[in-house]
Amino acid sequence: MQSFQLYERASTVPETSYTRGDWRTGYESLKQEFDYWIDHVEGQIPPELQGTLFRNGPGLLDVNGQRIHHPFDGDGMISRITFSNGRAHFRNRFIHTAAYLEEQKAAKILYRGVFGTQKPGGWWNNAFDFKLKNIANTNVIYVGGKLLALWEAAEPHRLDPYTLETLGKEHFNGVLSEGEAFAAHPRFDPSCAADDGASCMVNFSIKPGLSSTITIFELDLTGKVLRKHAHSVPGFAFIHDFAITPNYCIFFQNSIAFNPIPFAVGLRGAGECVKFQPNQPTRVIVIPRTPPQSREQDRRNSRGVQILETQSGFVFHHANAFEVGDEIVVDSICYESLPEVESGSDFREADFDALKPGHLWRFRLNLKEKTVHGELTVDHCCEFPAVHPNHVGRPYRYLYIGAAHAQTGNSPLQAFMKVDLESGERQVWSAAPRGFASEPVFVPRPGSEKEDDGWVLALVYNSEHHRSDVVILDANDFSQKPVARLHLKHHIPYGLHGSFTNEVFA
Ligand code: CO
């Protein structure tokens, strides 16, 4: 059963649901920094919705007119939407990383990007230059009184949540060394047994090589590191996200190979040297959350690191995971192959029809039998999953995710989909033909008991007016029109990840 509630002009939605020209304008830089109360609102902002939505993503797609090669190389910009007493306030600010300040001063690209951005002057000007910029553009979280902008290859940047001013790099009291990686995908365990049921933040870092090191970090909500343990796994690991359960961290080691030579000699970015290996299996790495030194007391975790195998494929993001007896269930967005970053190609000319869509798969890992059973659950192009925060690592029923307008094929995200994983029912709210979607965030209604009682918040880019909207959907029923649409005065370039906190900053 599916219900499609379309954007105002549903009858005019063309066959393809979008034009590349419209989609592309969402990738223009936003150079201005704003600070204002949002006055242009359709519908009503629920007064019980109190708190702050933070978003991060590339704000600059060029440096003084010199275009970057891939959006992932764009300087991080924080957007903050504060909800208070039925009103909303907007503020955005660039993260003042050292490289951002240097490049803005020089008014030109000074650093190579991981995804192929090169300094001007050809390959000989880029060869053997391994200095990459920490662009802090992937996620933003508020934890322990600190607002942190995350980028997976280096340490977070700390910001003032009120002014969004950059305060410096965060090393968690020396737990991270200068430049040490800290992934952009922390998971918040709502109730950690090792901490008497307190909530904790679990994150990781990857040090890739011929064999790779995965380090697990667990922090309490004051930002203090409680547990840190490192594990060596065979092969080159390119891992962006992971999933947690009460007892395990789960990583999918995609079947790829890395040839560093074109990067070293200045021909390609490091991210362009990753090649998908369609005939190799995906390795599923299961690491107990209990550190090895305290594992003897814990019989359940005595097995140590386990590596299982499943069919080849590529996963950026996991929706959630949970334990059932000897099995771990993992829901992930899977691609048949890795969309390679082609050097020399312009991402603005992307041919969506030639690329494989992401679909939702459910993997059952049997730790006793050492088997993985994968099953396609949602064959509708989708990406950027979100779940109720109290169900992270636990059995859950509802998933919210960015989706294509059309049920089949591959295209930019223009809609949001709610999936009932028990009944299989899907509901889609679409902003097609001229609207483009992003990562949704689920916010529970205060005092709610039902898993889908709350709101789904997201930014939608409206190409018709070249501005963005903050859309508030009733999570209980996507088939209704949004609870509210907040029209910003400008656009926000397509972003990556963000989060919601109940704290109000304005
Ligand atoms: Co991500």
Side-chain angles (χ1 to χ4, degrees), residues 185 240 317 497:
H185 275 287
H240 172 68
H317 296 124
H497 301 290

Coordinates of all heavy atoms in Angstrom, one line a residue, residues 185 240 317 497, ligand 1:
H185 N 29.8 10.2 11.7 CA 28.6 9.5 12.0 C 28.5 8.9 13.4 O 28.3 7.7 13.5 CB 28.3 8.4 10.9 CG 27.7 9.0 9.7 ND1 26.4 9.3 9.7 CD2 28.2 9.3 8.5 CE1 26.1 9.8 8.5 NE2 27.2 9.8 7.8
H240 N 32.4 4.9 5.8 CA 31.9 6.3 6.1 C 31.0 6.2 7.4 O 30.9 7.2 8.1 CB 31.1 6.8 4.9 CG 30.3 8.0 5.1 ND1 31.0 9.2 5.3 CD2 29.0 8.3 5.2 CE1 30.0 10.2 5.5 NE2 28.8 9.6 5.4
H317 N 25.5 4.5 4.1 CA 24.8 4.8 5.3 C 23.9 3.6 5.8 O 23.4 2.9 5.0 CB 23.8 5.9 5.2 CG 24.5 7.2 4.9 ND1 24.3 8.0 3.8 CD2 25.5 7.9 5.6 CE1 25.1 9.1 3.8 NE2 25.8 9.0 4.9
H497 N 24.7 16.2 6.6 CA 24.0 15.7 7.7 C 23.8 16.8 8.8 O 24.4 17.8 8.7 CB 24.8 14.6 8.4 CG 25.0 13.4 7.5 ND1 24.0 12.6 7.1 CD2 26.2 13.0 6.9 CE1 24.5 11.6 6.3 NE2 25.8 11.9 6.1
Ligands
CO1 CO 27.1 10.4 5.8

